[in-house]
Amino acid sequence: MIVQERQLRDFTYRIFQSIGCPDADAALAADVLLSADLRGIDSHGVARLSGYVRLWENNRLNPTPHIRIVHETPTTATVDGDGGLGLVVAPYAMNLAIEKARQYGSGWVAIRHSNHFGIAAYHALKAVEQEMIGYAMTNASPLVAPTFSSERLLGTNPMCYAFPAGAYPPVVVDMATSAAANGKLEIAQRMNVPIPEGWALTPDGKATTDPNAVTAGGALLPLGSEYGRGSHKGFGLSATVDILSGVLSGANYGPWVPPFVAYLQPVADQPGKGIGHFVGAMRVDGFRPVADFKAHMDQWISRFKNAQRINEEQGVIIPGEPEYRATQHRKEHGIPLVDAVWENLQVLAVKLGVEGIADET
């Protein structure tokens, strides 16, 4: 099923409106989700829409949050999201970080009491639009086992850096700190295909290619897969995200981070509030003239793209390049939805009394 961006955006907007989000928030939330689908990150786009609705149905999501600053210095702040959509709370925090950077050279904002915030790249790229370097990360539901353990204590905990360039698109390093994002397992489940070995463990700590392993009580592995392949480095990166997003902000962290899926309840005696994020912006001209930086970024990109190839058919891929190409293609040709996602959206439309997406194929 191929759906045009405008049609999918309008539908997503109406869904968020139907659960009580103000018009501006519904439009912003839809923009964040559509950015994932356009960039080819199908696991974090409209496939997640029903998950937000289920959180709202279980009174775990506030559609009309009072987002506020609870601690602040000239260059830093902590924001309380009042249980709102991370799709709305995180952009508020990034705008604050950008404003601080505009005045003082850099801005850093920790966020607590939020929910799933979509793709990290969306938030980091907001800084790039202002000739800044953007930074965004979030902790997440505990699905990842630390090195030498089978216990789920960390989330996939993505982090993103985004750098402006000149003639080339921005360089965007957007990645989970687990061996794979949980959304990739969900895609494998929908397609009924095995996952690569090194992504997940069974509940008793054995390697598996079963895409249902985590759902059955197993765990994802950290980036690097196993200790001999560097999983301790992935564990370290994930720990960094968790500490900045959760411990620093006053959100939950480690095994206490609330699950995104509504059928699992948050654990008792949580040490913080909701899910945590951390975003930042740095003015390029705080270090050197923007034009000089962009010229050297272009040279950096060009040199890597012209690196000696192992296989003549495959050149070096610059971080963010596949997503940029996907966006150009999908804006023109539409966004593909697998049958399971298409059917889920139609069920969601009926449940909330929203006009469904027309089948134009």
Side-chain angles (χ1 to χ4, degrees):
M1 175 65 63
I2 304 294
V3 181
Q4 295 304 309
E5 175 193 353
R6 176 195 53 76
Q7 191 179 17
L8 196 55
R9 182 181 297 275
D10 289 347
F11 174 79
T12 305
Y13 167 73
R14 293 196 303 272
I15 291 293
F16 282 122
Q17 272 189 319
S18 74
I19 67 172
C21 293
D23 290 354
D25 287 359
L28 176 56
D31 192 49
V32 180
L33 290 192
L34 263 293
S35 73
D37 285 309
L38 287 169
R39 290 175 69 79
I41 309 174
D42 300 324
S43 59
H44 283 61
V46 295
R48 288 265 187 235
L49 189 53
S50 61
Y52 296 107
V53 173
R54 285 192 291 269
L55 287 177
W56 168 74
E57 290 173 329
N58 284 269
N59 297 314
R60 287 176 50 197
L61 189 152
N62 180 2
T64 56
H66 172 54
I67 306 170
R68 59 196 177 93
I69 299 169
V70 295
H71 189 87
E72 187 173 23
T73 74
T75 59
T76 65
T78 299
V79 164
D80 188 297
D82 194 26
L85 282 163
L87 309 172
V88 173
V89 176
Y92 172 96
M94 179 52 89
N95 287 337
L96 179 59
I98 289 170
E99 183 55 36
K100 287 180 176 294
R102 188 173 287 116
Q103 294 185 59
Y104 301 107
S106 68
W108 306 95
V109 181
I111 304 102
R112 71 187 190 200
H113 207 185
S114 185
N115 277 288
H116 193 279
F117 80 168
I119 57 170
Y122 179 90
H123 312 294
L125 282 166
K126 288 299 179 185
V128 170
E129 293 171 5
Q130 304 300 320
E131 309 282 25
M132 298 180 187
I133 295 167
Y135 185 55
M137 60 173 63
T138 183
N139 63 13
S141 313
L143 295 173
V144 181
T147 304
F148 299 131
S149 174
S150 61
E151 186 178 1
R152 306 192 321 194
L153 293 177
L154 290 163
T156 53
N157 293 3
M159 58 167 56
C160 178
Y161 286 91
F163 304 91
Y168 289 99
V171 173
V172 184
V173 182
D174 184 9
M175 64 180 192
T177 54
S178 54
N182 186 51
K184 290 190 175 180
L185 271 70
E186 294 172 346
I187 291 172
Q189 289 169 14
R190 290 193 289 266
M191 297 177 66
N192 195 29
V193 296
I195 58 173
E197 187 168 333
W199 279 16
L201 299 173
T202 61
D204 57 355
K206 295 180 181 177
T208 181
T209 60
D210 181 1
N212 299 293
V214 177
T215 305
L220 289 169
L221 284 161
L223 185 64
S225 182
E226 301 164 350
Y227 178 69
R229 296 177 178 176
S231 74
H232 55 293
K233 299 176 183 179
F235 175 28
L237 289 172
S238 185
T240 301
V241 173
D242 203 33
I243 292 167
L244 287 174
S245 299
V247 180
L248 185 63
S249 70
N252 290 297
Y253 42 84
W256 294 283
V257 177
F260 178 69
V261 291
Y263 62 82
L264 293 177
Q265 291 300 309
V267 297
D269 302 320
Q270 292 183 318
K273 292 183 176 182
I275 289 176
H277 322 307
F278 188 81
V279 298
M282 296 185 291
R283 274 174 49 180
V284 170
D285 64 3
F287 299 90
R288 65 184 306 195
V290 173
D292 292 351
F293 175 80
K294 286 185 171 183
H296 280 216
M297 279 299 300
D298 285 348
Q299 184 179 35
W300 186 95
I301 293 167
S302 178
R303 180 62 184 89
F304 276 82
K305 285 185 69 65
N306 287 286
Q308 182 175 328
R309 300 184 179 190
I310 296 173
N311 180 342
E312 282 302 314
E313 300 300 316
Q314 178 61 66
V316 170
I317 299 172
I318 304 302
E321 184 179 359
E323 293 83 357
Y324 177 81
R325 289 179 176 175
T327 299
Q328 305 310 303
H329 183 271
R330 291 185 174 192
K331 276 186 172 293
E332 180 177 354
H333 299 287
I335 296 168
L337 299 179
V338 298
D339 289 345
V341 172
W342 166 260
E343 293 164 5
N344 178 263
L345 295 180
Q346 300 294 56
V347 169
L348 196 59
V350 172
K351 178 165 65 172
L352 294 174
V354 170
E355 184 181 350
I357 304 171
D359 185 350
E360 297 182 351
T361 58

